[in-house]
């Protein structure tokens, strides 16, 4: 655009503006801004605006009158404007805006705002891009998705046809064990993870299902806090033993190790004994199983490997000189510990090909428990210490000191170690720096078993009690100690030896020869007192 043409247009617009102001003078005096233009160069780029504030007359209304030469002059300006390139038009408007007062800037801003807004959720389907609109909305949480449904009918249509409530539930099931467990137990999992070509309920089904799931979750959490549960009891009495030392369970079965030297496998639904494995010549003190094998440790100093399906003995490892007190295996690595004060690290190429990699020595008393991941092996002993070793090199890393008596149990995950001791306390540790983060007090005797997840710690002790603790509160140094224990469960009549739990239940075993299933999901409240419930008892007498 030629500088002369731009200056002429600006002059024409300014003249028009001033003429219209003069034609519509009002006696009302207010403060106005006058802009005086000083040109120092041939191009408008070098213009400088000098603003002065004066008191003078102004129109009573900011609307421009449609009389006089304004309409003709406006048409001339628009004709000139239309002849310019887009770049010239932008440059001209920038200069024009620079000559306006603050009120005019605000008016223009209000005019431009709606022009710059885009309803992309409505616009994308119109361009055949429904899948992009659906993908964008699929990242919303439930509250935001509810709000999005109320924006307009088109948004509601995108959410409905995109099955976004179904996708939200599927995302929660994939990432949250509680949601996954509910989907399996309440059998709505069968309506998930199916493509649109198969028969699936409409979006309205999932829209109504979501609040029901939230209600179930709130009920389960309330049951944990209040101790409401349904109790099932398995009696494991035999003629020559007393005590269930260890257990592990899944959705189908419970496998337990007993003082009578046997391993018993129980049906998780009917609670009937399915199989008895014999071979150890001492009490079965520890066990772990996966989809292929059961590995057990015994007071007879051996480790045995069994086929989980047939019960056949596949391997017997003879290394420790005294009772094998605990073991863990994962991803081809197994760690065992013993009353002989040593820790053995094994390579598991297969159930029948297990070789000793390294023996870790350093504890001054029986090593009661071990745990490990890809970074660290953690061991705890009757010598009151927790020792940390490198998993890859098996080299010693550090010692965690704090317990006043021997340590009976621990669990390690990520940076957190939780341990239980015969000093009746539970301690939380940061494994990287060795600091004790919290001491939990409440048990009256030795803390024999402990497990934790993202929400809670569950501990069992020789006082016969199981305590549920708030993990997140325990990790908060500001939380009062009196608020940390959520509930104490008392049903066992003997020492609690072992427990395992998930989002819905605790399964524990005891010196009283029982396995208890504490169900926090299927709770009947009819006529029950808080924290206790009628129990079903199943007795198995071994011959």
């Amino acid at each position: 655009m030629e500088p002369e043409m731009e200056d002429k247009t600006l002059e024409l617009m300014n003249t028009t503006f001033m003429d219209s102001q003069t034609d519509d003078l009002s006696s009302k005096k207010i403060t106005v801004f006058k802009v005086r233009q000083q040109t120092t160069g041939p191009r408008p780029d070098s213009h400088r605006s000098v603003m002065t504030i004066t008191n003078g007359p102004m129109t009573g209304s900011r609307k421009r009158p449609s009389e006089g030469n304004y309409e003709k002059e406006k048409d001339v300006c628009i004709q000139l404007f239309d002849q310019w390139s887009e770049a010239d038009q932008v440059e001209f408007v920038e200069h024009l805006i620079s000559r306006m007062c603050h009120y005019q800037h605000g008016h223009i801003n209000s005019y431009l705002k709606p022009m710059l807004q885009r309803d992309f959720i409505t616009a994308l389907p119109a361009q055949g891009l429904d899948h992009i609109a659906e993908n964008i909305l699929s990242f919303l949480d439930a509250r935001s998705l509810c709000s999005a449904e109320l924006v307009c009918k088109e948004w509601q249509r995108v959410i409905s046809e995109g099955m976004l409530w179904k996708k939200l539930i599927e995302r929660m099931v994939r990432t949250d064990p509680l949601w996954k467990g509910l989907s399996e137990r309440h059998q709505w999992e069968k309506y998930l993870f199916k493509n649109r070509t198969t028969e699936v309920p409409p979006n309205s089904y999932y829209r109504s299902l979501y609040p029901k799931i939230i209600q179930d979750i709130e009920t389960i959490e309330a049951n944990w806090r209040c101790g409401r549960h349904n109790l099932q009891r398995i009696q494991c009495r035999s003629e020559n033993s007393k005590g269930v030392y260890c257990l592990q369970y899944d959705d189908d079965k419970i496998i337990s190790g007993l003082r009578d030297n046997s391993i018993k496998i129980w049906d998780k639904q009917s609670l009937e004994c399915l199989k008895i494995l014999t071979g150890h010549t001492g009490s079965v003190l520890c066990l772990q199983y996966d989809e292929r094998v059961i590995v057990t440790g015994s007071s007879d100093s051996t480790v045995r490997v069994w086929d989980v399906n047939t019960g056949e003995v596949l391997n017997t490892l003879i290394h420790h000189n005294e009772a094998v007190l605990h073991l863990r295996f994962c991803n081809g690595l197994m760690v065992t510990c013993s009353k002989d004060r040593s820790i053995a690290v094994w390579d598991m190429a297969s159930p029948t090909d297990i070789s000793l990699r390294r023996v870790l020595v350093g504890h001054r008393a029986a090593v009661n428990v071990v745990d490990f991941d890809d970074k660290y092996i953690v061991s705890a002993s009757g010598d009151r210490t927790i020792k940390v070793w490198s998993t890859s090199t098996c080299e010693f890393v550090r010692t965690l000191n704090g317990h006043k008596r021997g340590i009976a149990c621990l669990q390690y995950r990520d940076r957190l170690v939780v341990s239980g001791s015969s000093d009746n306390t539970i301690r939380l540790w940061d494994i990287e720096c060795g600091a004790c983060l919290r001491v939990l007090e409440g048990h009256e005797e030795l803390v024999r078993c402990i497990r934790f997840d993202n929400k809670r710690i569950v501990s069992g002790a020789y006082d016969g009690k199981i305590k549920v603790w708030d993990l997140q509160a325990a990790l908060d140094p500001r939380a009062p100690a009196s608020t940390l224990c959520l509930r104490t469960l008392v049903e066992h009549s003997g020492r609690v030896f072992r427990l395992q739990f998930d989002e819905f239940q605790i399964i524990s075993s005891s010196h009283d020869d029982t396995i208890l299933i504490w169900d926090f999901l299927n709770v009947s409240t009819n006529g029950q007192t808080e924290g206790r419930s009628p129990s079903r008892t199943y007795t198995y007498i071994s011959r």
Side-chain angles (χ1 to χ4, degrees), residues 347-360:
D347 289 311
M348 298 180 68
S350 71
T352 56
D353 184 7
I354 302 174
S355 58
L356 183 65
R357 179 196 294 184
R358 186 82 173 264
V359 177
L360 310 181

Side-chain angles (χ1 to χ4, degrees), residues 3 119 175 177 198 248 273 353 415 457-458 509 536:
D119 181 358
T175 57
T198 59
Q248 184 183 337
C273 186
D353 184 7
R415 290 184 62 138
I457 302 168
V458 181
S509 65
R536 288 193 294 153

Side-chain angles (χ1 to χ4, degrees), residues 192-414:
L192 303 177
F193 306 107
K194 298 181 183 297
N195 57 42
R196 299 187 186 186
T197 59
T198 59
E199 270 192 43
V200 294
N203 184 68
S204 58
Y205 167 81
Y206 302 97
R207 177 66 177 82
S208 60
L209 175 63
Y210 190 92
K212 294 176 183 176
I213 299 171
I214 296 300
Q215 181 60 51
D216 285 342
I217 291 173
E218 291 175 351
T219 300
I220 292 168
E221 294 299 326
N223 290 341
W224 276 97
R225 287 192 303 271
C226 300
R228 290 190 294 264
H229 60 274
N230 180 54
L231 189 69
Q232 296 174 275
R233 188 188 308 264
I234 302 175
Q235 297 284 359
C236 304
R237 295 191 186 95
S238 59
E239 295 177 359
N240 59 355
S241 76
K242 190 175 184 181
V244 185
Y245 283 136
C246 54
L247 64 82
Q248 184 183 337
Y249 72 87
D250 56 37
D251 291 338
D252 302 317
K253 60 186 175 294
I254 302 171
I255 302 182
S256 58
L258 282 77
R259 189 180 177 187
D260 68 0
N261 310 346
S262 69
I263 299 108
K264 291 187 171 69
I265 303 176
W266 311 85
D267 184 282
K268 180 72 161 45
Q269 306 307 319
S270 68
L271 305 186
E272 296 177 352
C273 186
L274 302 175
K275 195 174 297 182
I276 303 176
L277 310 183
T278 59
H280 279 297
T281 57
S283 300
V284 181
L285 304 178
C286 54
L287 67 82
Q288 183 185 341
Y289 70 86
D290 62 13
E291 67 280 357
R292 296 190 304 161
V293 297
I294 308 169
V295 183
T296 57
S298 169
S299 58
D300 65 11
S301 306
T302 68
V303 175
R304 287 180 180 257
V305 183
W306 317 72
D307 186 294
V308 73
N309 297 311
T310 66
E312 177 189 359
V313 177
L314 304 176
N315 205 340
T316 301
L317 306 178
I318 302 174
H319 165 75
H320 290 291
N321 299 321
E322 295 189 63
V324 179
L325 301 179
H326 200 253
L327 63 85
R328 298 294 296 168
F329 70 87
C330 183
N331 297 329
L333 183 70
M334 180 168 67
V335 181
T336 61
C337 62
S338 170
K339 191 177 179 181
D340 65 12
R341 308 181 184 183
S342 73
I343 301 161
V345 182
W346 308 79
D347 289 311
M348 298 180 68
S350 71
T352 56
D353 184 7
I354 302 174
S355 58
L356 183 65
R357 179 196 294 184
R358 186 82 173 264
V359 177
L360 310 181
V361 179
H363 283 293
R364 293 176 288 107
V367 185
N368 294 317
V369 59
V370 289
D371 204 352
F372 73 92
D373 64 8
D374 292 338
K375 189 173 185 180
Y376 294 125
I377 298 171
V378 186
S379 58
S381 167
D383 64 8
R384 310 179 185 181
T385 68
I386 297 170
K387 292 190 179 294
V388 182
W389 320 75
S390 168
T391 302
S392 57
T393 66
C394 293
E395 297 299 322
F396 172 74
V397 177
R398 65 177 59 88
T399 299
L400 309 183
N401 291 296
H403 279 295
K404 297 175 182 177
R405 299 186 68 181
I407 302 166
C409 55
L410 67 73
Q411 182 184 350
Y412 157 55
R413 192 179 69 193
D414 299 327

